[in-house]
């Protein structure tokens, strides 16, 4: 058992690249002790693919047994296909299942990014696409939502790989394994470009390592970013036409680390725009927050009835659980707001927009296959195991 298991909870989120998990202190809302990132899986020795959902559940239980306290159920956040409320919860295979939107809201309140807003827009730029949802924070009611696959981490990585091979050439036939390594290196370099102007990428290039510049990234994905932000602005316009005031927009997902995404958002959206620290961790971090409040295992009984325990945890009590997880009055806002002038927005866009002060230890989870879910939650496609966020 890990030394962290004394008072720890596990929160996880399921994406197209697999399960990302956060280990948190059960007594400190918003704390992050360890992070386990999804990694590429390898084919089963017998050549047969395991059941994807079983793979997900097995991985979550493995991480919980290794790092979390036995006093709490683990919580897994799943993306819904057509969300109507952010605070849906279920219980299956010994794991509490929650909506990704609800987990994100919990994390935003715990960390002080949201403190008093009644209605917010959540823009999630992930590996398989970008979604925007306008949500009432208190009730969890989803007022509008839309999704596009035009801007995604996977598409961006493929474009960058093709660009580098076209510019520098391949020294040898590009095998599947060589392509997988190149995608992995490009993903790391892409994230580094949020703070530096260029990175060196190793790969099967004629001249050895190749340089990837932030300007190359901006040129390749700029049109997709602008069209996606335009889609988000349209959703906000539709909601505004209904007389609903949206207090802020929060950008999250791995794509929110990209400077051009922030720059276009800050210029195109008139409401305050926030980008949390490590935005790709938001859903898993919020799932850990939910685990602290609704994930405590019942006291030993004459019979095992975990289903009855969680049947009572539904939308009627969601607002109470949210308040218990992260009361707005208990946190201090750490969020800088952008001003109404374009020049100020652009100046801030060139700097780090991360919020909070936590530091994370990046640890790698055990290998697993890209999974899926059934029911009303969205199922990530099972494809190339090298998919990245």
């Amino acid at each position: 058992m890990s030394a962290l298991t004394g008072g720890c909870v596990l929160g996880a989120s399921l994406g197209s690249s697999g399960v990302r998990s956060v280990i948190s202190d059960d007594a400190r809302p918003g704390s992050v002790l360890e992070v386990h990132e999804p990694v590429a899986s390898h084919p089963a020795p017998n050549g047969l693919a395991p059941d994807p959902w079983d793979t997900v559940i097995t991985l979550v239980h493995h991480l919980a047994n290794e790092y979390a306290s036995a006093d709490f159920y683990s919580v897994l956040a799943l993306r819904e296909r057509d969300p109507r409320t952010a605070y849906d919860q279920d219980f299956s295979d010994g794991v509490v299942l929650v909506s990704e939107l609800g987990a994100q809201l919990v994390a935003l309140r715990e960390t002080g990014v949201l403190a008093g807003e009644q209605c917010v827009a959540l823009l999630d730029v992930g590996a398989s696409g970008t979604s925007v949802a306008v949500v009432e924070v208190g009730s969890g009611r989803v007022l509008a939502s839309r999704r596009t696959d035009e801007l995604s981490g996977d598409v961006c990585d493929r474009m960058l790989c093709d660009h580098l091979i076209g510019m520098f050439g391949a020294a040898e036939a590009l095998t599947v394994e060589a392509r997988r390594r190149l995608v992995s290196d490009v993903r790391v370099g892409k994230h580094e470009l949020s703070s530096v102007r260029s990175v060196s990428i190793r790969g099967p290039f004629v001249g050895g390592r190749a340089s990837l510049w932030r300007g190359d990234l901006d040129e390749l994905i700029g049109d997709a970013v602008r069209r996606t932000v335009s889609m988000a602005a349209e959703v906000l316009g539709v909601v505004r036409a209904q007389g609903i005031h949206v207090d802020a927009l929060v950008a999250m997902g791995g794509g929110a680390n990209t400077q051009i995404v922030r720059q276009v958002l800050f210029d195109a959206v008139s409401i305050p725009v926030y980008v949390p620290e490590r935005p790709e961790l938001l859903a898993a971090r919020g799932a850990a927050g939910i685990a602290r409040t609704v994930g405590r295992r019942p006291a030993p009984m004459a019979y095992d009835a975990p289903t009855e325990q969680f049947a009572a945890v539904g939308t009627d009590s969601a607002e109470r659980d949210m308040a218990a997880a992260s009361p707005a009055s208990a946190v201090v806002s750490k969020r800088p707001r952008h001003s109404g002038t374009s020049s100020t927005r652009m100046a801030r866009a060139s700097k780090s927009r991360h919020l909070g002060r936590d530091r994370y230890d990046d640890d790698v989870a055990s290998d697993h296959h890209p999974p899926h879910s059934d029911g009303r939650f969205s199922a990530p496609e099972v494809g190339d195991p090298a998919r990245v966020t």
Side-chain angles (χ1 to χ4, degrees):
M1 297 292 287
S2 167
L4 296 177
T5 56
C8 299
V9 295
L10 172 71
S13 63
L14 176 59
S16 63
S17 55
V19 176
R20 174 180 282 111
S21 63
V22 163
I23 312 299
S24 179
D25 189 329
D26 70 321
R28 290 194 297 127
S31 64
V32 174
L33 303 179
E34 288 194 14
V35 174
H36 296 264
E37 301 284 2
V39 296
S41 60
H42 301 284
N46 59 5
L48 299 177
D51 179 83
W53 182 245
D54 285 348
T55 303
V56 171
I57 293 299
T58 299
L59 175 61
V60 171
H61 283 304
H62 168 74
L63 290 170
N65 290 338
E66 185 71 18
Y67 298 101
S69 168
D71 295 334
F72 296 86
Y73 289 105
S74 298
V75 176
L76 176 64
L78 307 174
R79 187 179 72 241
E80 297 177 86
R81 292 190 181 94
D82 187 20
R84 290 292 178 266
T85 177
Y87 300 140
D88 274 351
Q89 296 179 354
D90 200 355
F91 185 73
S92 177
D93 300 307
V95 176
V96 182
L97 307 179
V98 301
S99 167
E100 186 178 65
L101 289 175
Q104 290 164 344
L105 288 172
V106 168
L108 291 171
R109 293 181 64 175
E110 280 193 341
T111 56
V113 177
L114 296 182
E117 285 80 1
Q118 297 180 359
C119 182
V120 296
L122 304 179
L123 182 72
D124 192 342
V125 187
S128 60
T130 299
S131 60
V132 59
V134 179
V135 187
E136 288 181 344
V137 177
S139 67
R141 186 163 67 101
V142 179
L143 305 176
S145 65
R146 196 179 301 179
R147 182 171 176 82
T148 178
D149 59 2
E150 186 166 19
L151 178 62
S152 71
D154 288 349
V155 171
C156 179
D157 294 340
R158 287 196 296 270
M159 293 175 67
L160 289 173
C161 289
D162 292 342
H163 166 76
L164 290 172
I165 293 172
M167 288 289 293
F168 299 97
E172 57 186 28
L174 201 59
T175 64
V176 173
E177 182 59 31
R179 180 81 180 191
R180 182 178 290 115
R181 289 196 302 268
L182 178 58
V183 169
S184 177
D185 292 341
V186 162
R187 179 187 62 164
V188 174
K190 177 185 65 177
H191 290 170
E192 292 176 352
L193 288 177
S194 63
S195 57
V196 298
R197 296 183 63 84
S198 69
V199 293
S200 178
I201 304 293
R202 64 179 180 178
F205 305 119
V206 174
R209 301 181 74 94
S211 295
L212 177 63
W213 292 80
R214 186 188 299 169
D216 298 332
L217 173 63
D218 294 351
E219 183 176 351
L220 288 170
I221 69 172
D223 289 342
V225 170
R226 284 183 281 272
R227 286 192 292 267
T228 300
V229 171
S230 178
M231 176 202 74
E234 289 176 5
V235 172
L236 292 175
V238 169
V239 173
R240 189 180 303 113
Q242 299 172 355
I244 300 170
H245 175 70
V246 181
D247 296 308
L249 181 146
V250 183
M252 62 194 70
N257 289 310
T258 308
Q259 287 287 355
I260 188 172
V261 172
R262 303 178 191 180
Q263 291 172 3
V264 175
L265 270 175
F266 299 153
D267 274 346
V269 180
S270 58
I271 60 178
V273 176
Y274 308 141
V275 182
E277 185 177 11
R278 295 294 299 274
E280 69 275 13
L281 295 180
L282 205 63
R285 191 170 183 174
I290 295 173
R292 276 189 290 273
T293 58
V294 303
R296 184 173 289 278
R297 294 178 184 270
M301 303 175 65
Y303 61 96
D304 183 15
T307 302
E308 284 104 321
Q309 152 96 3
F310 287 94
V313 181
T315 55
D316 292 340
S317 61
E319 188 171 358
R320 180 198 63 207
D321 293 333
M322 276 283 292
S326 54
S329 60
V331 295
V332 177
S333 175
K334 303 174 182 176
R335 8 156 246 191
R337 295 179 181 269
H338 70 71
S339 75
T341 65
S342 177
S343 60
T344 303
R345 293 181 203 169
M346 293 299 289
R348 288 190 174 183
S350 66
K351 301 177 182 179
S352 173
R353 294 283 298 179
H354 294 313
L355 305 172
R357 301 184 180 278
D358 289 330
R359 293 294 179 264
Y360 306 95
D361 294 324
D362 293 331
D363 292 301
V364 178
S366 58
D367 287 357
H368 60 279
H369 293 264
H372 78 284
S373 167
D374 39 79
R376 58 173 301 164
F377 295 105
S378 178
E381 295 180 0
V382 180
D384 185 350
R387 299 181 69 134
V388 295
T389 301

